[in-house]
Amino acid sequence: MKRLSVVIAIALIMGLMVASCGPTPTPTTAPPTQPPVQPTQTPVQPTQTPAKPAPEAIEIGASIPLTGKYGSLGVQVKAGYELAVQDINAAGGVYVKEFDQRIPIRLTIYDDESDPTKAVSKLEALYAEQNVVAYLGGAASDMHAATVPIAEKNKVPYCGVAFALWKIHQQGFRYLFSPFPKSPQQAEDTFKILNAAIPEGQRPTKVAIFQETTDWGVELGGLWKENAQKYGYEIVAYETYTPRAESFSDMILRAKNAGAEALLAVPNQPDGIAMVKQMSELGWTPKFMLLIRAPENPAWYEALGPLGDYVTIFPGWSYKVKWPGVEELNQKHQAAYGRPADVLVGPAYTCALVVANAIERAGTLDREAIRDAMAATNLKETPIGPVQFREDGTGIVLNPMVQWQKGQIEVVWPPEHASAPLAYPAPPFDQR
Amino acid sequence: MNRKTITLTLAVLVVLGLGLVPQIIKKDNIINLAILVFIYVMMAVSWNFIGGIAGQTNLGHAAFFGLGFLIARMLWTEHRWPLFPCLLLGALVPVGFAMLIGIPAFKLKGAYFAIGTLAMAQILFITVRNLFPMMSFLPGDELAAYSLRPRYYLAFGSTLLTIAAAIWISRSRWGLGMRALREEATAAESLGVNVLGHKLMAFGLSAFFGGLAGGVFAYYAAGYYYFFPFAPTWTFDAVMATYIGGMGTIIGPILGAVFYVVVKEILALRLVEVHLIVFGVLFILIVLFLPGGLVQVWDKIRHLQAPSSRQQAPEPVPCSPDAVLHSGEN
């Protein structure tokens, strides 16, 4: 009895402690050191009217999976945000008409451990304690799906990359913006690129789709199916499989027997590697392979060697695209991390630019005005190219196609950004 | 004023105080954290029925939480049933599932039972992931009106119900029987305890409140995959919270869950880069110096203050019947 009452008292004290202690912000913004790589749109001229006192910084917050299963994606996103904020602050910050001066951005980043529930908590803390005017998103569909409704509830504009799932944009969210290619664009671009890059008569018109039973797999599989006929392609095999399936033999043989010449899929890396190995063993080499996701990092070629060549990907961005500012971004990334910018760095960098640009055009730190300015974004020069947004918050952005060629990832589409032409048709696996 | 009155008064004050939190505290991050604390308290207390009181290490608790989430969420968001029938069904279906698997599973003992339940939960996790791979968002009207306040009260009420059930069971003949079989099943059986019946009772209670926690989470989460609540992390979190607080006691899982959620969150916000390491060290220290959980803190303090009483009163072992009886002897 006595212990019970003491323990209740301890619980009460703990509760009070929690209620009283707000989180200490952990700004990760580096001090201004370098000139901006990408200026935002022309600043509004200072006005003559006296401005009200400006805040010390513009608060922007992000909850990113820096540890856990999405840790490898999260660190890329974090690097992109931080490089962008460094560049913006190096120019003195963002000009805000309401205060008639440039104000630096203070970016607070929390680790959500790849746990959507924790990501929600972090977004609530950023709103309540840091009073952020905008959120920058984390990485992966499930993390965004959990956090975007919180942005909506708090009416805080949200810019996120590293997810292609269109369904998130179909919920009527007003505050969500994503300058990153989504499934409908990927599905349509697949056939547009094939038609543009390969002469009629040589195209792989008989297509096999290996659909993973995940939300993105279902979504993209259906969209590929819808678009195929429109662009003159026939789906001769539509096979489904569960993630981490060990054997793909049945579906490979069905696709082979149906005479499929192209393979489209969104496997995770272990599944993608197993798929290609088993295709090689079963003697089926599609002339064209688009495997989104699995081949995106060097582990692909380390596991497959030449078998991994000729596979194409829609990574969302590449450090080899030829937009202005990419070279400078690569140099900064090289200096900080010892390699050119990773695949999510460019889109994440752009996301921060989009927010800064929207604040500047809004001329205020009012969240609703920033949201409206984000919706009207029309950036011409960013590391991912021109950026605009559709009504549903999806970005009108370039969706480059890359391809493994002799152990290197080359940009093969669009031609003006290509570092190599599309290698087609793929030679049989046993002749490589 | 006797101790019972003091405790009751304190308990009523705590309940009233917690009931007023959403009216007093306007910051949503605190309300959100409190909801998570309630859900974790429910998970830990419900796991404690089978794992702590009855002494059967169930590593498949996520299956109950997941089923509760799945049933409640689907009925509520897709079939647009009223919330409370959804929550009730979300709690009852896991009970049916527990009875179905309990009879064969309880033929296993010790580590085999733990592995068996873990395997069962994993099978369910993979099956649900394959059957329902899509993401679940709240319907548009619910999203537009989303507020943490009603979610707080639902989680709070459900937590009170769970704790009340734990207190009731600890004082009942059922509770005595469960503790007896935890200590020595054969001896308990020889004294007339229906071992399988008591195990099923504990399993059923654990499933009901684990499922109810899943239903509350279904009402709370704005965007979530159907299969995520089946992930083993929900089991391990409940087990860890119970171990931190003190297994087999009433207060232990509550304290453990509060500590587990609140301290982790504070560390994550204050020590972004190293929070996991710091929490890991903290957990190891608790296991080393408080093997009976946080409920031992008071005993340690009491013994430090009155060294002579140590010779008279034996050191309580939280997992022993004494500890359970002690906590439930009010």
Side-chain angles (χ1 to χ4, degrees), chain A residues 174 297 378:
Chain A
R174 282 187 74 242
N297 65 52
N378 187 13

Side-chain angles (χ1 to χ4, degrees), chain B residues 35-36 38-44 46 61-77 83 86-92 94 136 138 151 154-155 158-159 162 205-222 224-226 228-230 234:
Chain B
I35 294 170
L36 289 180
F38 289 139
I39 290 171
Y40 274 78
V41 167
M42 290 178 76
M43 286 298 282
S46 60
H61 201 53
F64 304 144
F65 181 73
L67 279 173
F69 177 89
L70 182 72
I71 302 290
R73 183 86 172 190
M74 277 204 157
L75 293 175
W76 183 54
T77 62
L83 180 64
C86 302
L87 292 173
L88 186 64
L89 263 179
L92 287 175
S136 162
L138 292 183
R151 283 153 178 89
L154 179 70
S158 305
T159 304
T162 310
L205 280 169
S206 187
F208 183 87
F209 290 106
L212 185 60
V216 172
F217 191 73
Y219 180 56
Y220 159 76
Y224 216 66
Y225 279 103
Y226 283 118
F228 268 14
F230 291 85
W234 288 100

